[in-house]
Amino acid sequence: MLDVANLTVDFRVDTGWIRSVDDVSFSLDAGATLGIVGESGSGKSVTALSLLRLHNDRATRLSGRVSFDGQDLLALPERRMRELRGRDIAMIFQDPMHSLNPVLTIGEQIGETLRIHQGLDRKAAQVAAANLLDMVRIPDATRRVTDYPHQLSGGMRQRVMIAMAIACRPRLLIADEPTTALDVTVQAQILELLRDLREEIGMSVILISHDLGLVAEFAERVIVMYAGELVEDAPARTIFEAPAHPYSEGLLRAIPSADVDTHRLYAIPGRIPDPGNRPPGCNFEPRCSLAQATCAASPPPLDPIAPEHRIRCPIRSAAKEVAE
Amino acid sequence: MARLIAFRIAQAIPVMFVVAVLTFLLMHLLPGDPATIIAGDMADQAAIAQVRHDLGLDRPVAMQLWLWVANLAQGDFGTSLMLNQPVAEAVLERLPVTGSLAVVAFLITIPTGIVLGVIAAVWRDTWADTAVMLLALIGVSVPNFWIAILSVILFSVTLGWFPSSGYVPLQDDFGRWLASLIQPAVVLALFQIGYLARMTRSAMLDVLDQDYIRTARAKGVSITITVAKHAFRNTLMQVVTVSGYILSLLIGGSVVIEQIFAMPGIGRLLVQAIMARDYPVVQGTMLMLGFAFVFINILIDLIYAYVDPRVRYD
Amino acid sequence: MTDRLASPAEPQPVLSPGATRRRILMRRLWRHRSFRIGGGIVLAIALLALAAPLLTSTEPTQMNLRARFAPPSAEYLFGADNFGRDIFTRVLYGARISLWIGCASALLAAAGGAMVGMVSAWFRPLDGVIMRIMDALLAFPAILLAIGINAALGPQVTSVIIALAFAYIPRMARIVRAAALVVRELDYVDAARVSGAGGARIIFRHILPNCMAPLLVSVTFVFAYAILAEAALSFLGIGPPPPDPSWGNIIAEGRDYSVQAWWIMLFPGLAISFSALGINLLGDGLRDVLDPRLKVEA
């Protein structure tokens, strides 16, 4: 259903263009769930926004192909793209505090999606909005529709965002760090809600997070991004139990676990390189414990090492081959 | 809401008190002896002493201040020397003129400035943006009275489109009232339009950068509706906060504009009083204007509270 | 706005961090277009004012009754006024008074505002009272405040300067107070206090330097505004007194003849507009480079 091929995103800065997402390819079947994982600055959110073309046109250059049901979204005229947004592909964002318009009631904001795409009048939209609030388990929904965002808690606001996103029963929902800004207990509830709604509506979901554990728990398939590149693409089980890329390993070790009594939390040493100042070879080489001289020489390719499993690390690819 | 109104008024009282004290000090602590000046160059010591006594200037300053505030509390703003009339009465008589001028200019400024600012923000970095920013720059660089004189030469003297001076009261004739106001009001507004456009532009750019704008776009809302519905209302709230300042600036500007168009308003009274060394009028007019500005600020705060749901529901 | 990212490190002689920072700022300023244009205009006008005696052979107050209302010509470049005085000469010399008034009142306002702002930020018990007074003054548009103060002081150059400075002290004080309150809470100020530095030392060593950027920006805007305000005060008859020319009083004197002898008021008006424009452009540049988030308005 969704097939992203060689997606590349450049942003304009004062000194020219910098590459934010570099040649990313992945695909997603109808009804499937995909997780995208990486630290901040890895390009995961930029990738997600590119699918809906929500970047500032004048400062962004997109290339590659994003085909959704066979049509290339990057080549679609803006008007057609607009019809698709919110109706076929919906998105929820990280910060529910700022993602809702402070001067419009939540009923108006949820209803707006329906009014645009299904031509509902104000009254019908209001009723539908109340039903949606009910669906995302906001108590006392009919009374709540006239509330303004500031009257709701963070978790409630994220539910409103979700209600807004599922209003037209989209086929793909992109959730960009939907729980990062929330309390831990609320996080679990929101994920639970997303999982239930996915089944109920039968939509595909792309879940973006920096938290590998959360993604692996939710998604069937996971891609790991680092410095704008896709570095590992595998089924969630594989990533969680036997990640092949040293970066994925690092992310996994960084998850605080309840059963192991670790007093010190692991963190990958070093920092993600600046987009304008990336190393000539493998982007992860400066932080990698496996790094060899060849790693710094040229950018590594993305190699398949098993069915449904690709990594961007020649050292591990070779080791795997030897092992077989 | 009622509590908010009460709170704001309670807050304004100390400010008004300070305004009253400051206008008093303005005339009393500065060098120069009003009695000598008022009595005139020819006056002898006895005449000066008489004036000083009449004005109560021979009493201790603290006593005078107390009397000033006590009189104010009873609505007594002093008595004019040149007009032989209570200051409050003289100011209120002229209020319709200055009020009409400022309000008409305000009604011109607000929509024009907002529209220009929105245009500049939406078409950022295009010729339209440059033109609006240039207008704003000219507004803070060209003397308004100079433009007013040039405008009179062009539109009144050469083209004969508008009367060059005078004021026709509203109750006499609406058409002539408007005709007498249109030129001074436009000139007065011109300078605030640029300022407002600049404020609106930066507020709009700020709003367009917010997450909820991205949310709206992700829902499939068109750019036009995003700007008109989602961005505009948020921008407007920021504009409300500067509109009180703009109204104050328009009232301040009308002092000069009234001179050029010979309009018998409060500004002209103030200038005449300065020339005639009518200290009570200068003092009283400044004070009444100060109260008006404080009142405008309260009004704007209340409007803001009404427009912003975050305040309205608290 | 022109370059948000600092340029990549270039080989530099060893300088103190402050000096390097200043050099980077200077370079950025120089690259800022409106700063260059504004700076050019201001420099040109200042040079013209200084070189006035070299550019004209007459005195600004010299009357020539035969030349009354002479229109602009080769002899009287900008024409002559009702006393036959050369407007070109008067505008050149007028620049001295007008620019002096603008500059002096802006600096005085900054100094006064810095003092009030510091005191307010540092001596918390006074803060409430001082800020209420500033609020009361801020309720008035600056021009009205200047009119009121000058009405009491009388029409003289120094009183115009004092009046304009006072009119702008509240705005300056607010800026300095805000900056000082931020700096006050920073760790190194705490450190200085712990190591026994006195109030005055902390103010001059730590707080004042950190208020310089917003203060400098507002000084330029007030400078421009003061030139306009001087003209307005002159026009109302409470500006610098004739016969010595200021741009404002040339216009005021020419006002009665504005229809027949438009040149009397046209040229000083242009002079005011150009210098205010130049100074405002300069201020825009300073604001963009020194602190892009700053929202200082004249």
Side-chain angles (χ1 to χ4, degrees):
Chain A
M1 178 188 69
L2 179 74
D3 192 24
V4 177
N6 313 105
L7 178 70
T8 298
V9 185
D10 295 318
F11 288 125
R12 188 162 60 198
V13 293
D14 297 319
T15 46
W17 294 86
I18 55 163
R19 183 141 297 181
S20 177
V21 171
D22 196 357
D23 197 23
V24 166
S25 304
F26 60 88
S27 61
L28 178 66
D29 293 331
T33 49
L34 173 75
I36 303 180
V37 188
E39 289 166 284
S40 60
S42 61
K44 55 192 194 306
S45 292
V46 174
T47 304
L49 288 173
S50 304
L51 303 183
L52 277 174
R53 283 178 26 204
L54 286 175
H55 297 294
N56 176 350
D57 281 347
R58 282 189 299 164
T60 318
R61 202 163 53 189
L62 296 172
S63 64
R65 249 182 85 82
V66 175
S67 59
F68 181 74
D69 286 344
Q71 51 186 347
D72 184 4
L73 298 187
L74 298 190
L76 224 52
E78 173 62 25
R79 209 174 52 79
R80 293 277 310 284
M81 189 69 215
R82 209 162 69 213
E83 289 168 6
L84 207 126
R85 287 186 198 125
R87 188 188 67 191
D88 299 312
I89 306 179
M91 188 157 177
I92 56 182
F93 300 96
Q94 173 172 359
D95 186 354
M97 292 298 168
H98 298 113
S99 294
L100 289 167
N101 194 325
V103 301
L104 300 176
T105 64
I106 58 177
E108 277 176 274
Q109 296 189 59
I110 297 170
E112 189 176 30
T113 321
L114 294 162
R115 291 172 65 190
I116 296 170
H117 296 297
Q118 298 179 353
L120 263 57
D121 61 29
R122 187 176 289 270
K123 238 186 178 151
Q126 197 80 348
V127 174
N131 288 335
L132 283 161
L133 285 181
D134 211 36
M135 236 174 122
V136 295
R137 297 167 202 162
I138 290 184
D140 210 2
T142 36
R143 205 172 51 82
R144 284 289 190 181
V145 280
T146 54
D147 277 4
Y148 286 91
H150 74 274
Q151 293 168 286
L152 305 175
S153 67
M156 285 294 172
R157 288 189 213 188
Q158 196 59 295
R159 284 171 196 269
V160 171
M161 285 296 290
I162 294 171
M164 212 150 75
I166 60 164
C168 296
R169 299 186 158 253
R171 279 173 304 147
L172 171 61
L173 175 69
I174 304 170
D176 186 0
E177 303 259 13
T179 60
T180 309
L182 305 174
D183 290 345
V184 184
T185 45
V186 183
Q187 279 187 13
Q189 292 167 7
I190 295 286
L191 275 190
E192 184 66 36
L193 175 66
L194 280 177
R195 200 171 294 145
D196 294 350
L197 288 172
R198 186 184 77 82
E199 261 168 44
E200 203 176 326
I201 297 172
M203 59 190 176
S204 313
V205 175
I206 296 179
L207 177 71
I208 297 164
S209 177
H210 63 281
D211 182 346
L212 180 57
L214 187 136
V215 166
E217 196 187 326
F218 184 86
E220 296 151 357
R221 187 172 189 81
V222 173
I223 60 179
V224 180
M225 289 187 70
Y226 184 77
E229 286 180 327
L230 197 162
V231 295
E232 180 158 11
D233 172 8
R237 265 189 91 81
T238 313
I239 293 263
F240 202 63
E241 284 165 7
H245 196 281
Y247 178 61
S248 313
E249 277 175 6
L251 285 178
L252 195 61
R253 283 182 64 193
I255 300 171
S257 70
D259 41 70
V260 184
D261 183 33
T262 40
H263 288 292
R264 283 184 54 195
L265 210 55
Y266 175 78
I268 307 170
R271 272 177 40 207
I272 209 160
D274 278 348
N277 195 20
R278 288 187 179 135
C282 171
N283 281 329
F284 191 57
E285 180 267 333
R287 301 170 73 181
C288 185
S289 55
L290 304 176
Q292 294 174 9
T294 48
C295 294
S298 62
L302 189 62
D303 289 324
I305 57 164
E308 304 269 289
H309 193 174
R310 300 179 293 166
I311 61 166
R312 195 182 293 278
C313 178
I315 310 288
R316 277 294 165 78
S317 303
K320 180 95 179 171
E321 257 168 54
V322 170
E324 283 162 2
Chain B
M1 199 74 190
R3 263 184 56 207
L4 185 68
I5 295 175
F7 176 69
R8 275 306 275 116
I9 290 174
Q11 242 186 350
I13 289 172
V15 176
M16 285 168 66
F17 177 74
V18 175
V19 169
V21 174
L22 287 177
T23 44
F24 172 83
L25 294 180
L26 182 67
M27 291 298 147
H28 287 79
L29 284 194
L30 293 171
D33 176 12
T36 317
I37 296 165
I38 291 163
D41 296 337
M42 300 300 168
D44 56 16
Q45 285 303 317
I48 293 172
Q50 184 61 41
V51 172
R52 190 169 290 147
H53 181 74
D54 289 347
L55 292 176
L57 293 173
D58 51 352
R59 283 177 255 195
V61 173
M63 183 69 179
Q64 291 182 48
L65 177 60
W66 165 249
L67 283 176
W68 167 241
V69 174
N71 286 339
L72 285 178
Q74 294 165 21
D76 179 4
F77 286 72
T79 307
S80 164
L81 303 172
M82 61 176 183
L83 303 169
N84 255 325
Q85 184 188 23
V87 174
E89 199 181 294
V91 170
L92 289 177
E93 266 173 21
R94 290 161 178 80
L95 182 64
V97 183
T98 305
S100 304
L101 181 57
V103 168
V104 172
F106 188 70
L107 294 179
I108 296 169
T109 306
I110 295 295
T112 322
I114 290 175
V115 167
L116 290 179
V118 169
I119 288 174
V122 173
W123 285 279
R124 188 187 184 172
D125 294 332
T126 63
W127 65 267
D129 185 18
T130 313
V132 171
M133 293 307 278
L134 202 67
L135 178 77
L137 190 62
I138 290 172
V140 291
S141 303
V142 179
N144 59 353
F145 67 92
W146 183 67
I147 288 290
I149 299 172
L150 294 181
S151 165
V152 168
I153 296 178
L154 179 62
F155 293 108
S156 301
V157 178
T158 311
L159 297 171
W161 290 357
F162 306 107
S164 67
S165 65
Y167 168 80
V168 179
L170 176 59
Q171 59 270 28
D172 288 7
D173 184 340
F174 177 79
R176 289 181 51 222
W177 171 77
L178 200 61
S180 71
L181 277 176
I182 201 79
Q183 189 173 214
V186 168
V187 171
L188 192 54
L190 212 53
F191 292 85
Q192 301 313 323
I193 287 172
Y195 170 71
L196 180 59
R198 201 159 123 171
M199 296 311 271
T200 308
R201 174 184 184 269
S202 86
M204 187 67 152
L205 287 177
D206 214 41
V207 169
L208 287 176
D209 232 23
Q210 298 291 318
D211 286 350
Y212 54 80
I213 296 301
R214 188 180 59 188
T215 305
R217 295 237 294 129
K219 282 195 287 189
V221 182
S222 70
I223 304 251
T224 320
I225 305 268
T226 307
V227 170
K229 181 173 165 187
H230 291 263
F232 186 65
R233 282 184 58 177
N234 284 284
T235 305
L236 216 52
M237 291 198 317
Q238 297 189 43
V239 171
V240 169
T241 56
V242 297
S243 63
Y245 182 53
I246 285 177
L247 186 55
S248 301
L249 287 177
L250 289 170
I251 294 172
S254 66
V255 174
V256 179
I257 295 294
E258 282 171 16
Q259 296 303 304
I260 291 165
F261 293 91
M263 302 175 77
I266 297 171
R268 214 171 148 82
L269 174 71
L270 179 64
V271 174
Q272 280 167 352
I274 292 173
M275 292 304 147
R277 307 200 183 284
D278 190 344
Y279 285 86
V281 172
V282 178
Q283 203 172 24
T285 311
M286 289 295 286
L287 182 61
M288 289 184 80
L289 286 173
F291 284 176
F293 297 135
V294 172
F295 176 71
I296 289 170
N297 282 336
I298 295 179
L299 205 65
I300 293 303
D301 275 5
L302 294 179
I303 292 175
Y304 183 84
Y306 182 74
V307 193
D308 188 344
R310 280 162 295 190
V311 184
R312 198 196 315 162
Y313 283 83
D314 276 351
Chain C
M1 293 235 173
T2 42
D3 48 351
R4 243 176 305 122
L5 297 177
S7 47
E10 289 168 28
Q12 290 236 344
V14 184
L15 289 167
S16 72
T20 319
R21 216 176 86 88
R22 269 196 295 280
R23 279 176 58 123
I24 292 171
L25 281 179
M26 289 310 287
R27 210 185 352 245
R28 287 221 229 142
L29 272 177
W30 184 244
R31 262 193 256 140
H32 196 283
R33 199 171 51 146
S34 61
F35 182 84
R36 277 208 313 269
I37 299 173
I41 294 174
V42 173
L43 201 66
I45 291 174
L47 285 177
L48 285 174
L50 283 175
L54 306 173
L55 297 169
T56 170
S57 50
T58 54
E59 287 292 310
T61 51
Q62 182 172 343
M63 299 188 234
N64 176 2
L65 292 183
R66 266 180 307 164
R68 289 188 71 200
F69 298 120
S73 64
E75 194 186 349
Y76 294 99
L77 218 51
F78 291 174
D81 68 6
N82 49 325
F83 294 113
R85 294 176 297 195
D86 181 29
I87 299 295
F88 179 66
T89 307
R90 285 179 71 73
V91 169
L92 278 181
Y93 280 93
R96 294 179 167 192
I97 293 180
S98 292
L99 294 179
W100 162 242
I101 288 176
C103 185
S105 47
L107 290 177
L108 199 59
M115 228 158 64
V116 175
M118 294 286 181
V119 169
S120 199
W122 203 255
F123 304 106
R124 298 321 297 263
L126 289 178
D127 189 38
V129 178
I130 293 180
M131 280 301 125
R132 279 298 83 70
I133 296 176
M134 293 299 128
D135 282 350
L137 288 172
L138 275 169
F140 289 91
I143 184 72
L144 256 178
L145 218 48
I147 290 173
I149 297 169
N150 215 36
L153 289 175
Q156 280 141 28
V157 173
T158 41
S159 60
V160 173
I161 292 173
I162 293 170
L164 288 175
F166 262 97
Y168 276 99
I169 281 178
R171 285 159 179 78
M172 297 279 196
R174 261 204 178 172
I175 292 167
V176 173
R177 174 177 174 268
L181 281 179
V182 172
V183 177
R184 219 184 115 92
E185 304 307 324
L186 295 179
D187 290 343
Y188 67 87
V189 174
D190 271 350
R193 204 164 3 187
V194 168
S195 69
R201 188 178 156 77
I202 291 171
I203 286 174
F204 284 101
R205 289 275 306 175
H206 298 287
I207 296 187
L208 203 55
N210 277 288
C211 306
M212 280 320 277
L215 208 55
L216 188 62
V217 174
S218 27
V219 163
T220 42
F221 288 133
V222 171
F223 187 179
Y225 190 79
I227 290 177
L228 297 176
E230 177 274 315
L233 290 178
S234 293
F235 178 78
L236 297 176
I238 48 177
D244 286 327
S246 76
W247 288 334
N249 71 23
I250 305 174
I251 299 180
E253 289 191 286
R255 204 236 142 154
D256 291 338
Y257 318 103
S258 59
V259 178
Q260 314 89 309
W262 46 266
W263 49 88
I264 305 178
M265 53 148 299
L266 182 74
F267 293 105
L270 287 175
I272 293 171
S273 306
F274 267 110
S275 24
L277 188 79
I279 298 165
N280 277 321
L281 284 170
L282 204 69
D284 281 346
L286 279 175
R287 179 185 48 197
D288 288 351
V289 173
L290 292 180
D291 188 355
R293 281 154 308 159
L294 210 64
K295 281 184 181 162
V296 180
E297 293 295 333

